[in-house]
Amino acid sequence: MMLAGRPLMAQLFAVALPTPPIHADLNGIFLLSVAAGYLIPYREPDSTSGRLYLWIMGPLLKGTGAVAFLVDYFVRHSPASFLLFAVSDGAMALLTLWALTSHARHGSGLTADGSKPSHQRSAISHGASSFRQ
């Protein structure tokens, strides 16, 4: 929507179009890059790189994004519709934090040969595998 649906989004949220438009273009490219990065934990949910990506993009990015939207609403008086972004970012940050920490609390559950028993799945790999089905 940042790259192709800019006028519609500006109208829906009652805000002006970005000036210069390159700011929205760069945000759109950033969002596509973030989305592409989710392929790492999707394909390898228990890998170190996949979990690190989820920590950065979940609690860190989404959490600070939620705070930024709240601050912008209260300090700069942005439209109330922006609070939807604060709620969605905050919810995603908390859900990702829960998934990452519940996996850590339950341990890796590896067998003596280093493999994971078929009946054990982490919250992350269970969610990813059920999403793929």
Side-chain angles (χ1 to χ4, degrees), residues 42-120:
Y42 175 75
R43 293 187 183 270
E44 301 174 16
D46 290 323
S47 69
T48 301
S49 58
R51 292 181 57 75
L52 178 61
Y53 190 83
L54 289 174
W55 274 108
I56 293 169
M57 293 299 154
L60 182 63
L61 180 65
K62 292 293 187 184
T64 55
V67 170
F69 276 114
L70 288 172
V71 168
D72 193 60
Y73 175 76
F74 289 110
V75 173
R76 297 183 192 147
H77 309 290
S78 62
S81 59
F82 282 27
L83 292 175
L84 292 171
F85 295 112
V87 169
S88 64
D89 277 3
M92 290 304 297
L94 291 173
L95 286 170
T96 307
L97 179 66
W98 170 80
L100 289 165
T101 57
S102 69
H103 175 73
R105 276 196 309 268
H106 291 88
S108 64
L110 298 179
T111 62
D113 66 353
S115 65
K116 187 172 261 197
S118 61
H119 68 280
Q120 286 188 337

